[in-house]
Amino acid sequence: MRSIGREPIFIERGEGAHLWDVDGNRYVDWVSSWGPLILGHAHPVVVQAIQSAAELGTSYGAPTEAEIDLAEEVADRFASIEMLRMTSSGTEASMSALRLARAATGRSAIVKFAGAYHGHLDGLLAEAGSGLATAGVPASPGVTEAQASETLIVPWNDAEAVGEAIAARNPAAVIAEPIPANMGVVPAEPGFLERVRELTADAGVILILDEVISGFRVARGGGQELLGVEADLTVMGKVLGGGLPAAAYGGSRGLMERIAPAGDVYQAGTLSGNPLAVAAGLATLRRLDAAAYIRLAATTERLAEGLREIAGDRPVRVQSVPGLLTVFFSSEPVTDFQGASAANPAAYGRFCRALLDRGVYPPASQFEAWFPSLAHDDEAIAQTLEAAGEGFREAFA
Ligand SMILES: Cc1ncc(COP(=O)(O)O)c(C=O)c1O
């Protein structure tokens, strides 16, 4: 909120596609808790699942059958996942996947894309998107030189740079969001991710696809299904926990059996696979059938098309994939972090403030995605488009 010149808005409650703040204002919410709430706020089925689980106890430190059900649901959606390990956050899952990649290859360097965000693990907090990009922070103090030196940063959509980085440093892994959404939504150009898959496979480098945002959202099987590229390791979160803390990483049996106690790569977490989070995640995923994805894609497209129309010939690019979009205040299509960074933050700030004043809550940063949910209906879209008309006028006044 500081980046758009507003005080933070304190929330009292959420229901469906709406949030209410402590001052009694109602907003159409396009942030959806930054992604998890694909069914909307306080969905009755999810609330009921959490209540029922809580009545049986909140944590056991031992396995439950529901964890197996959730793992089977995930494995059914991702062809590349035979086994998975749950964690409580996407950060932990990324960190653990990188540790496994280093153990499996015996190498140490990691290749990451500029503008990508994989959580706040030390080694990846350089040229990261999301909050760091919003605050204009190139890297975080507290990260040692040794940690930073293990990370090579390459531009998104630049296959040549990926090839050169692999040749130069023989890395353990390349980590990518298959559909980057932490510098705003910047999809891969045709053939780019396929080329990264080839380059990594040829060099014995583990390809980690971070589907914390895209997984369970852009398609039933995430970015991998949408783009037809398979990861060696997949990182998941957000929708997986249905609004409670759950995340996971997974891949082939051969790789995942290296994780302790089956193997020698240590990783653990007191609340991993927490029964409440598992109940919320399972209740959410079970409602996400083929029809749900068609509906979410249609909602996204109606919003994106409406925004494009209303923006008219102003320098605005609405970049979208099913379930995600970003309104870039840019005259050029955005294909990488450099392009995203060149977009006009002051105009975006005026646009956001105008929307908030009219009861519409967009992400208060151009370096984040809008997260449509299945609770957003025609009325929510109509209110948003009406506010956006004023918003574009005020942004360019
Ligand atoms: C792509 C991606 N990976 C990882 C993370 C980290 O997840 P968490 O915030 O649960 O630690 C995020 C968070 O926004 C993310 O967008």
Tab-separated table of all heavy atoms in Angstrom, residues 56-110:
chain	number	residue	atom	x	y	z
A	56	LEU	N	-11.519	-33.003	15.643
A	56	LEU	CA	-10.786	-34.252	15.881
A	56	LEU	C	-9.363	-34.013	16.381
A	56	LEU	O	-8.580	-34.949	16.544
A	56	LEU	CB	-10.738	-35.082	14.587
A	56	LEU	CG	-12.100	-35.465	13.985
A	56	LEU	CD1	-11.916	-36.183	12.662
A	56	LEU	CD2	-12.902	-36.321	14.959
A	57	GLY	N	-9.029	-32.733	16.589
A	57	GLY	CA	-7.671	-32.404	17.031
A	57	GLY	C	-6.959	-31.629	15.953
A	57	GLY	O	-7.203	-31.840	14.768
A	58	THR	N	-6.045	-30.732	16.366
A	58	THR	CA	-5.466	-29.809	15.397
A	58	THR	C	-4.106	-30.242	14.854
A	58	THR	O	-3.648	-29.700	13.840
A	58	THR	CB	-5.315	-28.406	16.015
A	58	THR	OG1	-4.570	-28.534	17.220
A	58	THR	CG2	-6.669	-27.786	16.309
A	59	SER	N	-3.422	-31.161	15.510
A	59	SER	CA	-2.119	-31.617	15.004
A	59	SER	C	-1.716	-32.863	15.771
A	59	SER	O	-1.962	-32.955	16.978
A	59	SER	CB	-1.083	-30.501	15.195
A	59	SER	OG	0.155	-30.913	14.683
A	60	TYR	N	-1.108	-33.813	15.072
A	60	TYR	CA	-0.752	-35.075	15.749
A	60	TYR	C	0.746	-35.385	15.715
A	60	TYR	O	1.222	-36.229	16.454
A	60	TYR	CB	-1.494	-36.258	15.094
A	60	TYR	CG	-2.960	-35.999	14.824
A	60	TYR	CD1	-3.464	-36.049	13.520
A	60	TYR	CD2	-3.842	-35.714	15.869
A	60	TYR	CE1	-4.801	-35.812	13.262
A	60	TYR	CE2	-5.184	-35.474	15.610
A	60	TYR	CZ	-5.657	-35.510	14.310
A	60	TYR	OH	-6.977	-35.262	14.045
A	61	GLY	N	1.472	-34.803	14.774
A	61	GLY	CA	2.872	-35.210	14.605
A	61	GLY	C	2.979	-36.643	14.118
A	61	GLY	O	3.955	-37.347	14.400
A	62	ALA	N	1.970	-37.074	13.394
A	62	ALA	CA	1.941	-38.436	12.844
A	62	ALA	C	1.071	-38.386	11.595
A	62	ALA	O	0.272	-37.463	11.444
A	62	ALA	CB	1.351	-39.398	13.878
A	63	PRO	N	1.225	-39.367	10.683
A	63	PRO	CA	0.491	-39.282	9.412
A	63	PRO	C	-1.014	-39.463	9.569
A	63	PRO	O	-1.486	-40.046	10.550
A	63	PRO	CB	1.067	-40.442	8.589
A	63	PRO	CG	2.223	-40.965	9.338
A	63	PRO	CD	2.103	-40.533	10.753
A	64	THR	N	-1.757	-38.947	8.599
A	64	THR	CA	-3.204	-39.157	8.547
A	64	THR	C	-3.574	-39.669	7.151
A	64	THR	O	-2.840	-39.447	6.188
A	64	THR	CB	-3.970	-37.836	8.773
A	64	THR	OG1	-3.639	-36.933	7.704
A	64	THR	CG2	-3.646	-37.207	10.104
A	65	GLU	N	-4.726	-40.314	7.069
A	65	GLU	CA	-5.186	-40.808	5.761
A	65	GLU	C	-5.468	-39.656	4.808
A	65	GLU	O	-5.270	-39.768	3.600
A	65	GLU	CB	-6.459	-41.643	5.943
A	65	GLU	CG	-6.144	-43.083	6.279
A	65	GLU	CD	-7.397	-43.942	6.376
A	65	GLU	OE1	-8.449	-43.563	5.823
A	65	GLU	OE2	-7.302	-44.991	7.028
A	66	ALA	N	-5.941	-38.533	5.364
A	66	ALA	CA	-6.274	-37.395	4.497
A	66	ALA	C	-5.041	-36.880	3.744
A	66	ALA	O	-5.140	-36.411	2.616
A	66	ALA	CB	-6.907	-36.275	5.320
A	67	GLU	N	-3.846	-36.976	4.386
A	67	GLU	CA	-2.612	-36.574	3.694
A	67	GLU	C	-2.396	-37.433	2.455
A	67	GLU	O	-1.956	-36.941	1.408
A	67	GLU	CB	-1.409	-36.804	4.612
A	67	GLU	CG	-1.006	-35.637	5.446
A	67	GLU	CD	0.135	-36.041	6.362
A	67	GLU	OE1	1.291	-35.955	5.940
A	67	GLU	OE2	-0.152	-36.482	7.499
A	68	ILE	N	-2.686	-38.721	2.588
A	68	ILE	CA	-2.532	-39.622	1.433
A	68	ILE	C	-3.536	-39.231	0.350
A	68	ILE	O	-3.205	-39.198	-0.836
A	68	ILE	CB	-2.768	-41.098	1.858
A	68	ILE	CG1	-1.868	-41.473	3.030
A	68	ILE	CG2	-2.563	-42.039	0.669
A	68	ILE	CD1	-0.402	-41.436	2.748
A	69	ASP	N	-4.780	-38.931	0.771
A	69	ASP	CA	-5.797	-38.517	-0.212
A	69	ASP	C	-5.334	-37.267	-0.968
A	69	ASP	O	-5.491	-37.173	-2.178
A	69	ASP	CB	-7.139	-38.211	0.487
A	69	ASP	CG	-7.754	-39.463	1.112
A	69	ASP	OD1	-7.358	-40.579	0.709
A	69	ASP	OD2	-8.627	-39.322	1.994
A	70	LEU	N	-4.771	-36.321	-0.219
A	70	LEU	CA	-4.316	-35.078	-0.855
A	70	LEU	C	-3.152	-35.368	-1.817
A	70	LEU	O	-3.117	-34.869	-2.946
A	70	LEU	CB	-3.892	-34.053	0.206
A	70	LEU	CG	-3.520	-32.671	-0.320
A	70	LEU	CD1	-4.700	-32.005	-1.024
A	70	LEU	CD2	-3.031	-31.753	0.802
A	71	ALA	N	-2.218	-36.217	-1.361
A	71	ALA	CA	-1.068	-36.564	-2.218
A	71	ALA	C	-1.554	-37.252	-3.495
A	71	ALA	O	-1.041	-36.984	-4.590
A	71	ALA	CB	-0.108	-37.458	-1.455
A	72	GLU	N	-2.558	-38.124	-3.360
A	72	GLU	CA	-3.068	-38.818	-4.555
A	72	GLU	C	-3.745	-37.851	-5.505
A	72	GLU	O	-3.602	-37.957	-6.715
A	72	GLU	CB	-4.013	-39.964	-4.138
A	72	GLU	CG	-3.201	-41.167	-3.669
A	72	GLU	CD	-4.040	-42.293	-3.085
A	72	GLU	OE1	-5.264	-42.097	-2.868
A	72	GLU	OE2	-3.459	-43.364	-2.831
A	73	GLU	N	-4.459	-36.893	-4.936
A	73	GLU	CA	-5.104	-35.864	-5.772
A	73	GLU	C	-4.035	-35.077	-6.552
A	73	GLU	O	-4.199	-34.808	-7.750
A	73	GLU	CB	-5.913	-34.930	-4.854
A	73	GLU	CG	-6.587	-33.763	-5.532
A	73	GLU	CD	-7.821	-34.127	-6.358
A	73	GLU	OE1	-8.602	-34.991	-5.923
A	73	GLU	OE2	-7.984	-33.542	-7.445
A	74	VAL	N	-2.943	-34.748	-5.896
A	74	VAL	CA	-1.864	-33.991	-6.566
A	74	VAL	C	-1.205	-34.850	-7.638
A	74	VAL	O	-1.016	-34.420	-8.783
A	74	VAL	CB	-0.807	-33.516	-5.534
A	74	VAL	CG1	0.402	-32.907	-6.227
A	74	VAL	CG2	-1.424	-32.519	-4.560
A	75	ALA	N	-0.868	-36.086	-7.282
A	75	ALA	CA	-0.179	-36.969	-8.238
A	75	ALA	C	-1.055	-37.245	-9.458
A	75	ALA	O	-0.553	-37.401	-10.571
A	75	ALA	CB	0.206	-38.274	-7.547
A	76	ASP	N	-2.367	-37.261	-9.249
A	76	ASP	CA	-3.293	-37.478	-10.352
A	76	ASP	C	-3.299	-36.286	-11.321
A	76	ASP	O	-3.588	-36.435	-12.498
A	76	ASP	CB	-4.697	-37.688	-9.751
A	76	ASP	CG	-5.670	-38.162	-10.794
A	76	ASP	OD1	-5.344	-39.149	-11.480
A	76	ASP	OD2	-6.742	-37.535	-10.939
A	77	ARG	N	-2.969	-35.120	-10.804
A	77	ARG	CA	-3.003	-33.918	-11.636
A	77	ARG	C	-1.680	-33.663	-12.355
A	77	ARG	O	-1.655	-33.023	-13.391
A	77	ARG	CB	-3.328	-32.687	-10.760
A	77	ARG	CG	-4.761	-32.642	-10.301
A	77	ARG	CD	-4.946	-31.622	-9.194
A	77	ARG	NE	-6.343	-31.512	-8.804
A	77	ARG	CZ	-7.150	-30.504	-9.144
A	77	ARG	NH1	-6.680	-29.497	-9.852
A	77	ARG	NH2	-8.402	-30.493	-8.762
A	78	PHE	N	-0.566	-34.093	-11.757
A	78	PHE	CA	0.765	-33.800	-12.324
A	78	PHE	C	1.447	-35.099	-12.742
A	78	PHE	O	1.850	-35.892	-11.882
A	78	PHE	CB	1.638	-33.084	-11.288
A	78	PHE	CG	1.258	-31.653	-11.061
A	78	PHE	CD1	0.239	-31.321	-10.171
A	78	PHE	CD2	1.905	-30.630	-11.749
A	78	PHE	CE1	-0.126	-30.001	-9.964
A	78	PHE	CE2	1.550	-29.303	-11.543
A	78	PHE	CZ	0.531	-28.988	-10.656
A	79	ALA	N	1.619	-35.274	-14.052
A	79	ALA	CA	2.269	-36.488	-14.556
A	79	ALA	C	3.689	-36.621	-14.007
A	79	ALA	O	4.205	-37.727	-13.856
A	79	ALA	CB	2.295	-36.449	-16.078
A	80	SER	N	4.329	-35.496	-13.688
A	80	SER	CA	5.732	-35.537	-13.258
A	80	SER	C	5.897	-35.858	-11.773
A	80	SER	O	7.018	-35.968	-11.285
A	80	SER	CB	6.399	-34.183	-13.553
A	80	SER	OG	5.768	-33.150	-12.805
A	81	ILE	N	4.785	-35.999	-11.045
A	81	ILE	CA	4.902	-36.213	-9.587
A	81	ILE	C	4.459	-37.627	-9.205
A	81	ILE	O	3.293	-37.979	-9.347
A	81	ILE	CB	4.062	-35.172	-8.812
A	81	ILE	CG1	4.568	-33.763	-9.122
A	81	ILE	CG2	4.114	-35.444	-7.307
A	81	ILE	CD1	3.795	-32.648	-8.428
A	82	GLU	N	5.428	-38.415	-8.730
A	82	GLU	CA	5.101	-39.760	-8.208
A	82	GLU	C	5.056	-39.759	-6.684
A	82	GLU	O	4.318	-40.522	-6.084
A	82	GLU	CB	6.157	-40.764	-8.675
A	82	GLU	CG	6.087	-41.053	-10.161
A	82	GLU	CD	7.198	-41.970	-10.625
A	82	GLU	OE1	8.285	-41.985	-10.006
A	82	GLU	OE2	7.001	-42.667	-11.635
A	83	MET	N	5.897	-38.932	-6.089
A	83	MET	CA	5.908	-38.827	-4.622
A	83	MET	C	6.024	-37.352	-4.262
A	83	MET	O	6.624	-36.574	-5.003
A	83	MET	CB	7.121	-39.548	-4.017
A	83	MET	CG	7.067	-41.040	-4.119
A	83	MET	SD	8.541	-41.763	-3.342
A	83	MET	CE	8.046	-41.861	-1.622
A	84	LEU	N	5.470	-36.980	-3.121
A	84	LEU	CA	5.636	-35.610	-2.680
A	84	LEU	C	5.768	-35.538	-1.171
A	84	LEU	O	5.397	-36.463	-0.454
A	84	LEU	CB	4.478	-34.733	-3.155
A	84	LEU	CG	3.086	-35.050	-2.657
A	84	LEU	CD1	2.544	-33.890	-1.860
A	84	LEU	CD2	2.170	-35.322	-3.844
A	85	ARG	N	6.349	-34.437	-0.741
A	85	ARG	CA	6.542	-34.179	0.688
A	85	ARG	C	5.872	-32.858	1.013
A	85	ARG	O	6.096	-31.867	0.328
A	85	ARG	CB	8.048	-34.119	0.991
A	85	ARG	CG	8.440	-33.614	2.369
A	85	ARG	CD	7.923	-34.456	3.528
A	85	ARG	NE	8.441	-35.794	3.595
A	85	ARG	CZ	9.577	-36.152	4.206
A	85	ARG	NH1	10.328	-35.244	4.793
A	85	ARG	NH2	9.954	-37.405	4.232
A	86	MET	N	5.069	-32.851	2.070
A	86	MET	CA	4.385	-31.611	2.442
A	86	MET	C	5.255	-30.743	3.350
A	86	MET	O	6.044	-31.246	4.150
A	86	MET	CB	3.051	-31.927	3.111
A	86	MET	CG	2.056	-32.529	2.130
A	86	MET	SD	0.369	-32.483	2.741
A	86	MET	CE	0.031	-30.714	2.592
A	87	THR	N	5.068	-29.430	3.209
A	87	THR	CA	5.685	-28.445	4.090
A	87	THR	C	4.575	-27.464	4.484
A	87	THR	O	3.425	-27.651	4.084
A	87	THR	CB	6.821	-27.676	3.370
A	87	THR	OG1	6.242	-26.953	2.272
A	87	THR	CG2	7.894	-28.607	2.847
A	88	SER	N	4.939	-26.435	5.236
A	88	SER	CA	3.910	-25.467	5.637
A	88	SER	C	3.893	-24.220	4.769
A	88	SER	O	2.936	-23.462	4.795
A	88	SER	CB	4.121	-25.048	7.098
A	88	SER	OG	3.940	-26.171	7.928
A	89	SER	N	4.978	-23.972	4.017
A	89	SER	CA	5.006	-22.764	3.179
A	89	SER	C	5.727	-23.059	1.865
A	89	SER	O	6.529	-24.000	1.775
A	89	SER	CB	5.727	-21.622	3.903
A	89	SER	OG	7.113	-21.901	3.961
A	90	GLY	N	5.438	-22.216	0.880
A	90	GLY	CA	6.115	-22.336	-0.408
A	90	GLY	C	7.615	-22.097	-0.268
A	90	GLY	O	8.410	-22.722	-0.961
A	91	THR	N	7.990	-21.199	0.623
A	91	THR	CA	9.418	-20.927	0.857
A	91	THR	C	10.148	-22.210	1.259
A	91	THR	O	11.187	-22.555	0.711
A	91	THR	CB	9.579	-19.867	1.975
A	91	THR	OG1	8.962	-18.654	1.547
A	91	THR	CG2	11.028	-19.613	2.305
A	92	GLU	N	9.561	-22.903	2.241
A	92	GLU	CA	10.168	-24.166	2.702
A	92	GLU	C	10.250	-25.191	1.579
A	92	GLU	O	11.226	-25.943	1.476
A	92	GLU	CB	9.245	-24.791	3.751
A	92	GLU	CG	9.524	-24.528	5.163
A	92	GLU	CD	8.485	-25.301	5.970
A	92	GLU	OE1	7.346	-24.821	6.105
A	92	GLU	OE2	8.813	-26.398	6.435
A	93	ALA	N	9.190	-25.234	0.770
A	93	ALA	CA	9.166	-26.231	-0.308
A	93	ALA	C	10.254	-25.920	-1.339
A	93	ALA	O	10.969	-26.828	-1.783
A	93	ALA	CB	7.785	-26.251	-0.966
A	94	SER	N	10.425	-24.641	-1.704
A	94	SER	CA	11.489	-24.262	-2.654
A	94	SER	C	12.861	-24.607	-2.074
A	94	SER	O	13.719	-25.169	-2.752
A	94	SER	CB	11.486	-22.752	-2.915
A	94	SER	OG	10.310	-22.344	-3.510
A	95	MET	N	13.047	-24.235	-0.810
A	95	MET	CA	14.337	-24.465	-0.150
A	95	MET	C	14.681	-25.957	-0.139
A	95	MET	O	15.804	-26.365	-0.437
A	95	MET	CB	14.237	-23.939	1.285
A	95	MET	CG	15.456	-24.082	2.127
A	95	MET	SD	15.118	-23.476	3.793
A	95	MET	CE	14.204	-24.839	4.484
A	96	SER	N	13.663	-26.762	0.135
A	96	SER	CA	13.894	-28.209	0.242
A	96	SER	C	14.143	-28.825	-1.135
A	96	SER	O	14.962	-29.738	-1.274
A	96	SER	CB	12.684	-28.875	0.902
A	96	SER	OG	12.367	-28.211	2.103
A	97	ALA	N	13.428	-28.324	-2.160
A	97	ALA	CA	13.633	-28.837	-3.517
A	97	ALA	C	15.054	-28.515	-3.991
A	97	ALA	O	15.704	-29.341	-4.636
A	97	ALA	CB	12.599	-28.240	-4.467
A	98	LEU	N	15.548	-27.330	-3.646
A	98	LEU	CA	16.917	-26.966	-4.045
A	98	LEU	C	17.936	-27.847	-3.327
A	98	LEU	O	18.925	-28.284	-3.917
A	98	LEU	CB	17.196	-25.490	-3.725
A	98	LEU	CG	16.454	-24.474	-4.585
A	98	LEU	CD1	16.740	-23.061	-4.094
A	98	LEU	CD2	16.855	-24.595	-6.046
A	99	ARG	N	17.692	-28.119	-2.043
A	99	ARG	CA	18.614	-28.985	-1.296
A	99	ARG	C	18.666	-30.368	-1.952
A	99	ARG	O	19.734	-30.949	-2.138
A	99	ARG	CB	18.156	-29.106	0.162
A	99	ARG	CG	19.088	-29.953	1.012
A	99	ARG	CD	18.571	-30.094	2.442
A	99	ARG	NE	18.411	-28.799	3.059
A	99	ARG	CZ	17.392	-28.459	3.859
A	99	ARG	NH1	16.445	-29.335	4.155
A	99	ARG	NH2	17.316	-27.259	4.364
A	100	LEU	N	17.488	-30.869	-2.315
A	100	LEU	CA	17.425	-32.186	-2.953
A	100	LEU	C	18.155	-32.169	-4.300
A	100	LEU	O	18.903	-33.110	-4.631
A	100	LEU	CB	15.948	-32.592	-3.135
A	100	LEU	CG	15.680	-33.876	-3.898
A	100	LEU	CD1	16.396	-35.065	-3.260
A	100	LEU	CD2	14.167	-34.155	-3.959
A	101	ALA	N	17.970	-31.099	-5.063
A	101	ALA	CA	18.636	-31.009	-6.374
A	101	ALA	C	20.155	-30.999	-6.194
A	101	ALA	O	20.894	-31.635	-6.950
A	101	ALA	CB	18.174	-29.752	-7.109
A	102	ARG	N	20.623	-30.292	-5.172
A	102	ARG	CA	22.072	-30.241	-4.932
A	102	ARG	C	22.577	-31.614	-4.500
A	102	ARG	O	23.646	-32.060	-4.943
A	102	ARG	CB	22.380	-29.196	-3.857
A	102	ARG	CG	22.286	-27.777	-4.401
A	102	ARG	CD	22.504	-26.737	-3.334
A	102	ARG	NE	22.788	-25.444	-3.927
A	102	ARG	CZ	22.280	-24.283	-3.502
A	102	ARG	NH1	21.470	-24.259	-2.457
A	102	ARG	NH2	22.596	-23.158	-4.107
A	103	ALA	N	21.802	-32.286	-3.655
A	103	ALA	CA	22.223	-33.609	-3.196
A	103	ALA	C	22.243	-34.597	-4.363
A	103	ALA	O	23.163	-35.404	-4.499
A	103	ALA	CB	21.267	-34.101	-2.102
A	104	ALA	N	21.232	-34.525	-5.219
A	104	ALA	CA	21.113	-35.504	-6.301
A	104	ALA	C	22.187	-35.309	-7.365
A	104	ALA	O	22.613	-36.270	-7.996
A	104	ALA	CB	19.729	-35.400	-6.938
A	105	THR	N	22.635	-34.057	-7.569
A	105	THR	CA	23.613	-33.796	-8.631
A	105	THR	C	25.037	-33.658	-8.105
A	105	THR	O	25.985	-33.740	-8.879
A	105	THR	CB	23.278	-32.472	-9.362
A	105	THR	OG1	23.255	-31.419	-8.389
A	105	THR	CG2	21.939	-32.553	-10.087
A	106	GLY	N	25.169	-33.407	-6.810
A	106	GLY	CA	26.504	-33.151	-6.255
A	106	GLY	C	27.075	-31.815	-6.715
A	106	GLY	O	28.274	-31.582	-6.653
A	107	ARG	N	26.214	-30.930	-7.201
A	107	ARG	CA	26.661	-29.606	-7.655
A	107	ARG	C	26.037	-28.541	-6.754
A	107	ARG	O	25.099	-28.832	-6.023
A	107	ARG	CB	26.210	-29.363	-9.099
A	107	ARG	CG	26.572	-30.496	-10.067
A	107	ARG	CD	25.923	-30.216	-11.412
A	107	ARG	NE	26.007	-31.338	-12.315
A	107	ARG	CZ	25.342	-31.402	-13.471
A	107	ARG	NH1	24.570	-30.408	-13.853
A	107	ARG	NH2	25.462	-32.450	-14.252
A	108	SER	N	26.508	-27.286	-6.880
A	108	SER	CA	25.986	-26.311	-5.918
A	108	SER	C	25.282	-25.100	-6.539
A	108	SER	O	24.391	-24.530	-5.926
A	108	SER	CB	27.106	-25.829	-4.991
A	108	SER	OG	28.185	-25.372	-5.752
A	109	ALA	N	25.667	-24.673	-7.734
A	109	ALA	CA	25.084	-23.432	-8.276
A	109	ALA	C	23.615	-23.639	-8.674
A	109	ALA	O	23.184	-24.758	-8.956
A	109	ALA	CB	25.880	-22.960	-9.478
A	110	ILE	N	22.875	-22.537	-8.657
A	110	ILE	CA	21.455	-22.551	-9.025
A	110	ILE	C	21.230	-21.433	-10.048
A	110	ILE	O	21.743	-20.334	-9.873
A	110	ILE	CB	20.563	-22.239	-7.789
A	110	ILE	CG1	20.802	-23.237	-6.652
A	110	ILE	CG2	19.078	-22.156	-8.170
A	110	ILE	CD1	20.356	-24.646	-6.923
